[in-house]
Amino acid sequence: MLGLITAVVVIAVVVVVVVVATSSSTTSPAKAASQHLTVRTVLRLPAASAVVQSGGRAWATDDLRNLLVRFDPASGHTTASVHLKGRPVAMVLSAGHLWVASMVSNTVAEFDPGTLHLVRTVPVPAGPSSLAMLAGRIWVASFTASDVTPIDPATGAVGSSVPIAVGAVRLAAGFGALWVTGNTDQLTQLGVGPAGTTTGPQKVITVGQVPIGIATGAGSVWVANSASGTVTRLNPKTLQVIHTYRPGGDPLALAVAGGRVWLADGTAQHLRTIFPGGGLPPVSLGSSPRQVISAGDRVWVATANPGRVLAVQAAG
């Protein structure tokens, strides 16, 4: 089991970002039946590993060439780039600065998003694989070290690491907690107080086989279970399973956007919606998905082999 998780994380790391909770869609059944998904290639890279979009600017990492690039999200034109060390696989935008986790160098680097000037480099526990923002802290999930570590974005100070007994692969923030997928068929809930410190005991919830992708939104916590071909929907208050979706295939990454839950499949290399209702039919991505993020009523997808940044939205 651990070997399978390691292969997925190293070969196709998907970055988990914080998504905004939205209400259920009010689209009528007739309109939903006529809708479909459209895909636009925004940027081509050898191996896109992470993407962040804010207003009229966007950034992506390429972990084959170890690059951070800034690009125009409308035209896809690259406006600046900087070389990194150590295989960048995760990225968040916090307090006006970019933070990039590099899995091999065991660091999180802070950049000015306009100039791509390196502000500082912060050492973190081994194998940082995912980032999320909550309670004024940047939280780092470290796959190799099996823990979660807070960083104060104002000072760059690293707080005490929290060991996660069932492993730390990816994490998402929402409902006053961090949600961490692990090396077993379990999900860990880690409470976080307003001061950015963890609160109470960790709670472990059994989900599907090899949970990897994780997202919060639409009043629920969503877990993509790669080996069982399922998606688990959890009540964040009771931690009870609301529903188990069975799309089959290899569910890897999730996002909540526009009242929909979006799911990327690693084997079929497609993206579909699974909520609300029956969802919208899948659309081909043309390569392996590594990240899905919310961008208003659409999503952005980072893929590899070939590497691309794609914009996907509902049309019709």
Side-chain angles (χ1 to χ4, degrees):
M1 180 70 71
L2 181 58
L4 175 59
I5 286 283
T6 303
V8 174
V9 172
V10 172
I11 296 174
V13 172
V14 180
V15 181
V16 179
V17 297
V18 183
V19 293
V20 180
T22 55
S23 60
S24 297
S25 173
T26 57
T27 303
S28 68
K31 183 176 181 180
S34 67
Q35 287 187 320
H36 60 280
L37 299 179
T38 63
V39 182
R40 178 172 66 93
T41 299
V42 180
L43 181 69
R44 297 181 185 274
L45 294 169
S49 52
V51 60
V52 171
Q53 189 265 346
S54 178
R57 298 188 298 178
W59 302 263
T61 53
D62 176 349
D63 68 335
L64 183 62
R65 296 183 299 171
N66 288 331
L67 285 180
L68 168 64
V69 303
R70 188 182 69 232
F71 65 96
D72 183 330
S75 67
H77 177 66
T78 299
T79 56
S81 66
V82 62
H83 186 266
L84 304 174
K85 293 181 179 180
R87 198 157 184 260
V89 295
M91 178 167 52
V92 294
L93 186 63
S94 171
H97 277 195
L98 283 171
W99 297 78
V100 182
S102 294
M103 198 170 189
V104 174
S105 63
N106 301 323
T107 59
V108 175
E110 178 186 3
F111 290 90
D112 181 298
T115 63
L116 298 190
H117 169 72
L118 176 63
V119 178
R120 64 183 131 209
T121 300
V122 179
V124 295
S129 55
S130 185
L131 300 173
M133 284 294 305
L134 183 63
R137 295 292 184 271
I138 297 168
W139 297 87
V140 186
S142 293
F143 171 73
T144 306
S146 293
D147 61 19
V148 172
T149 306
I151 299 175
D152 184 338
T155 64
V158 178
S160 299
S161 296
V162 181
I164 306 297
V166 298
V169 178
R170 300 181 196 160
L171 79 167
F175 310 107
L178 293 170
W179 307 85
V180 190
T181 53
N183 300 327
T184 66
D185 299 343
Q186 295 174 310
L187 173 75
T188 299
Q189 181 205 48
L190 189 62
V192 177
T197 56
T198 57
T199 60
Q202 298 178 26
K203 297 179 181 179
V204 177
I205 309 101
T206 299
V207 287
Q209 297 176 2
V210 191
I212 298 177
I214 177 77
T216 62
S220 304
V221 177
W222 306 81
V223 186
N225 306 302
S226 176
S228 58
T230 62
V231 175
T232 303
R233 181 185 182 186
L234 293 173
N235 183 315
K237 294 182 179 180
T238 67
L239 305 185
Q240 297 298 307
V241 174
I242 299 173
H243 186 70
T244 299
Y245 296 82
R246 303 185 184 280
D250 177 26
L252 281 184
L254 291 160
V256 182
R260 293 184 170 93
V261 177
W262 305 71
L263 174 66
D265 184 292
T267 301
Q269 300 183 356
H270 67 219
L271 183 77
R272 63 184 296 181
T273 67
I274 60 170
F275 174 86
L280 298 180
V283 62
S284 175
L285 299 173
S287 53
S288 301
R290 304 182 72 182
Q291 178 196 28
V292 184
I293 67 166
S294 170
D297 63 348
R298 69 185 65 186
V299 295
W300 292 68
V301 185
T303 72
N305 302 318
R308 285 180 284 184
V309 175
L310 308 167
V312 185
Q313 67 183 111

